[in-house]
Amino acid sequence: MTPPPSGSADAAGSQRQDQPQDQDTGGMRTGPARRDPDRNPDPDGAGGGVLGSRPLPGQTFHGQDPELAAASAICQVSPTRCQARTRLYRDGRLGLEGFPVADISDHLADESVTIWLDLRDPDHDDLAVLSEEFGLHPLAVEDALHPSQRPKLDRYRSHLFLTAYGARLDAGTGELATTELAAFITSQALITVRKDDGLDIDAVVQRWDENPDLVRFGVGYLLYGLLDYIVDGHFETVQSLDECVEEIEDRLFDDIPHSMEVQRRSFQLRKSLVLLRRVIIPMREVVNAVMRRDLHVVGDDLMPYYQDVYDHVLRAAEWTDSLRDLVNSILETNVTIQGNRLNVITKKVTGWAAIIAVPTLITGYFGMNVPYPGFSEKAGFTASLATMILAALVLYLIFKRKDWL
């Protein structure tokens, strides 16, 4: 992959090139890097920000232990305080795993080598260690550290910078959780930066190993495996949302009303759909931009694989559109059903009020303190009582026939 042409991001970041960058590496450290539980990269606690809640700490979306994911690739010696993973491919074959980060520059001297470096929740000092080594742009490094970036692909002189999100739906609550991933893409290296533990990096590595014959395509294949895993996760999330919507549809017309439950569940799913659309819709442009020939990331041999990823992105985006319309329809239908039930109740109450009004009229008439036929006689009482029962019975039959009761 030849360096991509300068984009607008280069012009925007040229004014910041002369700013001093902190290059203090904190020294070499032996033993597996561990995340500092007291260090919160998101001081405001926003987590996923506008793109949903963060995954539970200490486990991936699939319940794996993030400390042990891709264990063979974990670096035992690293200048970074965060946990790092490394892999080296040479001539289309896996050559090394878990080698020290400091050795990357020596390996890159060989043009047949492709490097994968993964950083788990790094801080500024961790990325500063790599910034000069790979020529990373300050703006890209800043975006890799700050949470809640929009899914995008930025072009710089020496590399590309990608931001994407994994997603998973909690079927029980209908809440969407997202995990943010940043990636630096050079001609010989793919550097992934995970800002939390949601993404199962072990599953990504397994996907790379499932097609060893494609490793010869270098960074383009590694990026394909990463995007394919993320987009498949989007598809699974949309499918889970679809199943939740079908469950609401079944409850909508139950004999026992679930109006408040349906309303609450529908609003939560609509909120999750809005958040998911913010993740999926920009991915169309991201994948489409990666496939551009002037970036020299995707060769002709890999183009069909990227086309398949792009097709999945389009299908997921269209699916979210249809689900959004369906959820809105469910909300409107639920309101209409509530209105219809209220009308039925009002109609029944009115019918019974009309039935009760006839005995009330008769008792009011015969309760006057004036003489009338049958006054103070047993026959008069019997006649009034029979009239009330007969009138109520007639009104009941009429209302029942008209389906008012």
Side-chain angles (χ1 to χ4, degrees):
M1 180 180 75
T2 60
S6 173
S8 59
D10 294 312
S14 61
Q15 299 178 358
R16 303 180 57 179
Q17 290 284 1
D18 298 332
Q19 295 182 2
Q21 299 292 325
D22 184 8
Q23 297 294 335
D24 182 14
T25 65
M28 298 294 292
R29 195 176 64 80
T30 61
R34 297 290 180 181
R35 169 191 266 185
D36 184 0
D38 298 327
R39 180 167 61 87
N40 181 10
D42 186 8
D44 297 330
V50 296
L51 293 179
S53 62
R54 300 189 75 169
L56 294 176
Q59 67 179 31
T60 67
F61 281 154
H62 296 88
Q64 301 293 331
D65 184 358
E67 293 279 354
L68 303 177
S72 60
I74 297 177
C75 298
Q76 300 300 321
V77 179
S78 173
T80 61
R81 287 191 286 268
C82 67
Q83 194 177 52
R85 292 168 173 79
T86 54
R87 266 194 165 196
L88 180 147
Y89 298 91
R90 178 179 283 110
D91 296 325
R93 294 182 179 182
L94 178 61
L96 293 173
E97 286 186 291
F99 57 88
V101 174
D103 295 347
I104 290 180
S105 57
D106 297 333
H107 292 303
L108 289 177
D110 185 354
E111 295 184 356
S112 64
V113 164
T114 300
I115 298 289
W116 170 60
L117 170 63
D118 175 73
L119 301 178
R120 177 186 170 212
D121 193 17
D123 57 18
H124 184 274
D125 293 335
D126 293 332
L127 287 182
V129 174
L130 307 174
S131 179
E132 184 176 357
E133 179 72 30
F134 290 95
L136 305 181
H137 197 281
L139 285 178
V141 173
E142 181 180 342
D143 287 346
L145 291 172
H146 292 173
S148 302
Q149 297 292 322
R150 185 178 185 272
K152 61 181 180 178
L153 180 71
D154 292 336
R155 303 171 60 183
Y156 298 96
R157 288 186 178 91
S158 60
H159 63 90
L160 303 175
F161 175 74
L162 179 144
T163 301
Y165 286 83
R168 187 171 182 84
L169 181 75
D170 186 336
T173 63
E175 184 178 4
L176 182 73
T178 60
T179 175
E180 187 172 358
L181 172 82
F184 299 92
I185 307 161
T186 71
S187 58
Q188 288 183 263
L190 174 66
I191 307 171
T192 54
V193 178
R194 294 179 290 136
K195 302 181 183 181
D196 50 58
D197 293 331
L199 185 72
D200 188 356
I201 199 65
D202 189 62
V204 177
V205 173
Q206 289 179 9
R207 187 159 299 201
W208 288 337
D209 294 341
E210 288 173 357
N211 296 284
D213 55 319
L214 298 178
V215 176
R216 58 191 175 89
F217 297 116
V219 174
Y221 170 67
L222 298 182
L223 181 59
Y224 158 73
L226 178 64
L227 291 176
D228 188 48
Y229 177 77
I230 291 175
V231 172
D232 283 350
H234 295 169
F235 214 79
E236 293 175 2
T237 303
V238 177
Q239 186 173 6
S240 297
L241 277 169
D242 187 42
E243 294 173 355
C244 291
V245 171
E246 289 182 358
E247 181 183 350
I248 295 179
E249 287 180 313
D250 295 337
R251 292 192 174 190
L252 194 60
F253 297 99
D254 278 353
D255 295 333
I256 301 176
H258 301 281
S259 299
M260 288 303 299
E261 182 181 351
V262 169
Q263 196 85 353
R264 187 182 302 109
R265 182 77 166 172
S266 299
F267 273 112
Q268 180 60 55
L269 290 180
R270 186 169 68 173
K271 178 182 177 182
S272 297
L273 272 171
V274 171
L275 296 176
L276 186 60
R277 280 175 53 81
R278 295 178 186 174
V279 171
I280 293 180
I281 298 300
M283 285 299 293
R284 296 184 299 186
E285 299 301 326
V286 170
V287 178
N288 189 41
V290 170
M291 294 168 60
R292 291 178 53 178
R293 296 185 180 277
D294 59 329
L295 297 183
H296 305 287
V297 176
V298 184
D300 293 337
D301 293 324
L302 282 178
M303 190 62 69
Y305 297 93
Y306 276 87
Q307 287 286 0
D308 182 68
V309 174
Y310 186 66
D311 177 66
H312 278 73
V313 173
L314 292 180
R315 290 173 59 192
E318 293 171 356
W319 203 348
T320 57
D321 289 338
S322 62
L323 285 179
R324 183 182 59 173
D325 295 339
L326 187 56
V327 170
N328 290 334
S329 175
I330 289 175
L331 286 170
E332 295 172 359
T333 304
N334 188 45
V335 172
T336 302
I337 290 176
Q338 291 184 50
N340 291 339
R341 286 173 177 162
L342 180 60
N343 291 338
V344 171
I345 293 173
T346 303
K347 182 173 62 175
K348 290 182 178 181
V349 170
T350 304
W352 283 111
I355 293 174
I356 296 173
V358 173
T360 303
L361 174 63
I362 295 175
T363 54
Y365 174 78
F366 286 100
M368 295 186 298
N369 294 324
V370 295
Y372 55 85
F375 182 77
S376 299
E377 295 180 5
K378 185 177 181 179
F381 172 76
T382 304
S384 62
L385 183 60
T387 303
M388 285 188 289
I389 295 174
L390 181 61
L393 181 60
V394 170
L395 288 176
Y396 176 80
L397 293 175
I398 292 175
F399 292 158
K400 193 69 175 177
R401 179 177 297 180
K402 293 180 176 294
D403 197 27
W404 289 1
L405 295 176

